[in-house]
Amino acid sequence: QVQLAQSGSELKEPGASVKVSCKASGYTFTTYGMNWVRQAPGQGLEWMGWINTNTGNPTYAQDFTGRFVFSLDTSVSTAYLQISSLKAEDTAVYYCARGPAYWGQGTLVTVSS
Amino acid sequence: EVVLTQSPGTLSLSPGERATLSCRASQSVSSRYIAWYQQKPGQAPRLLIYAASSRATGIPDRFSGSGSGTDFTLTISRLEPEDFAVYYCQHYGTSSWTFGQGTKVEIK
């Protein structure tokens, strides 16, 4: 069965970087793109963009350019989201999603001094 | 970019009642790319409906979706206690996704 297992919660100081992982299993990783979605506390869902797992080409939504980087390690069927120069407003749960039907469990990133 | 507007923001109903949630798109979209999700606190969104009217695997038949063009609807025929949650509509286009802002279905 398709599963997306995300890395655990992170607590970071402002200005630091964080890398969230999303390990896929139960299907051929390079067949489907991987999306990233952000949910700030008490807020709705925001699509951040997606990465083509076949070519490695990322597409970023307008509000997620510059400090956000999607990457892959296809040898371990894993997608990554890296956020640099973290700000308090980056505090959120970050989800990976393979299409509408399959979502990771979410990773809480807290940015606080 | 497609903007999705959900209404109402909050729906206060009793178990056993019918819930009707609306999602309006800023431009006509293919119903093939409209989905509805349920989200409970501390959980990932759960796909209920895809292609506007197809129920996802394991979703009870009290959930139904309809609509076309710019207007889409999620209907819960008889609310069960576990249905009180936040619901999102989504346009999952070929190059981008968009979510509505959500409708909270709360116990009256």
Side-chain angles (χ1 to χ4, degrees):
Chain A
Q1 69 284 20
V2 174
Q3 291 189 336
L4 301 177
Q6 296 187 227
S7 49
S9 297
E10 301 268 9
L11 174 60
K12 296 290 184 181
E13 293 190 346
S17 295
V18 68
K19 194 169 187 178
V20 175
S21 67
C22 170
K23 182 172 177 58
S25 60
Y27 70 100
T28 301
F29 182 67
T30 52
T31 302
Y32 299 90
M34 191 67 74
N35 292 267
W36 290 93
V37 175
R38 182 173 80 176
Q39 187 169 39
Q43 302 301 308
L45 303 168
E46 290 182 273
W47 182 71
M48 301 175 67
W50 73 289
I51 185 165
N52 184 318
T53 54
N54 191 39
T55 65
N57 184 50
T59 298
Y60 301 98
Q62 188 170 358
D63 290 344
F64 296 96
T65 58
R67 298 187 298 115
F68 302 85
V69 176
F70 307 146
S71 62
L72 305 169
D73 184 342
T74 56
S75 69
V76 290
S77 301
T78 300
Y80 300 94
L81 163 65
Q82 182 161 358
I83 311 171
S84 59
S85 302
L86 283 163
K87 307 174 183 179
E89 50 264 43
D90 294 323
T91 294
V93 176
Y94 292 86
Y95 295 99
C96 59
R98 192 212 91 175
Y102 301 104
W103 291 60
Q105 82 276 20
T107 296
L108 174 62
V109 174
T110 303
V111 183
S112 175
S113 54
Chain B
E1 176 189 321
V2 177
V3 176
L4 299 178
T5 302
Q6 292 187 239
S7 61
T10 302
L11 201 49
S12 298
L13 295 168
S14 301
E17 290 195 292
R18 181 185 188 89
T20 303
L21 287 66
S22 174
C23 177
R24 177 161 290 178
S26 59
Q27 61 192 77
S28 183
V29 297
S30 170
S31 58
R32 182 178 173 186
Y33 300 117
I34 291 293
W36 288 92
Y37 296 87
Q38 176 192 70
Q39 189 179 34
K40 297 179 180 178
Q43 296 184 15
R46 173 194 181 198
L47 179 66
L48 300 174
I49 299 289
Y50 65 96
S53 60
S54 298
R55 270 188 300 277
T57 303
I59 302 303
D61 60 7
R62 64 180 181 273
F63 291 93
S64 63
S66 64
S68 64
T70 60
D71 292 308
F72 299 90
T73 300
L74 174 70
T75 301
I76 311 171
S77 59
R78 294 171 309 280
L79 283 164
E80 297 288 340
E82 62 267 28
D83 299 336
F84 292 92
V86 179
Y87 293 83
Y88 295 95
C89 61
Q90 178 200 32
H91 178 251
Y92 52 105
T94 53
S95 59
S96 68
W97 289 6
T98 305
F99 294 96
Q101 80 278 21
T103 291
K104 182 179 182 180
V105 179
E106 65 176 22
I107 300 176
K108 186 174 181 179

